[in-house]
């Protein structure tokens, strides 16, 4: 925002002694009282911006209430989607015949898969 930059440059110019306060007030079209308010606000914002802050991600307690609500709403939406997907998978499993895809990509009835797997088990000999 060009207007804000101009105001900040004017405030800094008075602090460095480049310009007089009355000159800047005339340029900005504001009174002395408003100038002092702007300068105080700018300095306070600068102080807050350079203040030490704890390292790392802020804890949930430090987050604003609206931010916490937004995060909780996102989590609810994720869980609702996961629930819906599970319900769809369950419906598909109930409607379709009991068919299982084998590792080779072939379709095989589920009751035969267990028998086939049992017959392919390898016996392990104990070493003496």
């Amino acid at each position: 925002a060009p207007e804000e930059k101009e105001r900040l440059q004017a405030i800094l110019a008075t602090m460095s002694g480049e310009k007089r306060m009355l000159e800047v007030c005339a340029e900005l079209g504001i009174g002395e009282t408003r100038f002092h308010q702007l300068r105080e606000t700018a300095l306070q914002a600068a102080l807050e911006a350079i203040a030490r802050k704890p390292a790392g991600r802020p804890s949930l307690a430090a987050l604003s209430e609206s931010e916490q609500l937004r995060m909780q709403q996102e989590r609810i939406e994720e869980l609702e989607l996961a629930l819906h997907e599970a319900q769809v998978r369950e419906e598909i499993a109930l409607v379709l015949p009991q068919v299982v895809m084998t590792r080779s990509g072939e379709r095989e009835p589920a009751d035969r898969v267990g028998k086939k797997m049992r017959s392919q088990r390898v016996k392990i000999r104990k070493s003496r």
Side-chain angles (χ1 to χ4, degrees), residues 35-90:
F35 176 80
H36 289 296
Q37 290 172 342
L38 290 174
R39 182 175 61 189
E40 180 67 29
T41 303
L43 292 175
Q44 187 62 40
L47 180 62
E48 289 173 10
I50 64 171
R52 287 183 181 243
K53 296 176 183 151
R57 179 182 285 179
S59 68
L60 285 178
L63 294 176
S64 69
E65 195 172 313
S66 62
E67 182 68 14
Q68 288 181 19
L69 287 174
R70 186 190 63 75
M71 290 175 64
Q72 289 173 349
Q73 185 61 37
E74 286 178 4
R75 181 67 177 144
I76 289 170
E77 290 171 4
E78 289 173 8
L79 292 173
E80 286 176 342
L81 179 62
L83 174 63
H84 179 69
E85 290 172 352
Q87 289 170 335
V88 168
R89 282 193 297 274
E90 182 182 13

Side-chain angles (χ1 to χ4, degrees), residues 78-105:
E78 289 173 8
L79 292 173
E80 286 176 342
L81 179 62
L83 174 63
H84 179 69
E85 290 172 352
Q87 289 170 335
V88 168
R89 282 193 297 274
E90 182 182 13
E91 287 177 26
I92 291 171
L94 291 173
V95 172
L96 293 178
Q98 296 293 327
V99 174
V100 176
M101 296 297 283
T102 63
R103 286 187 181 168
S104 63

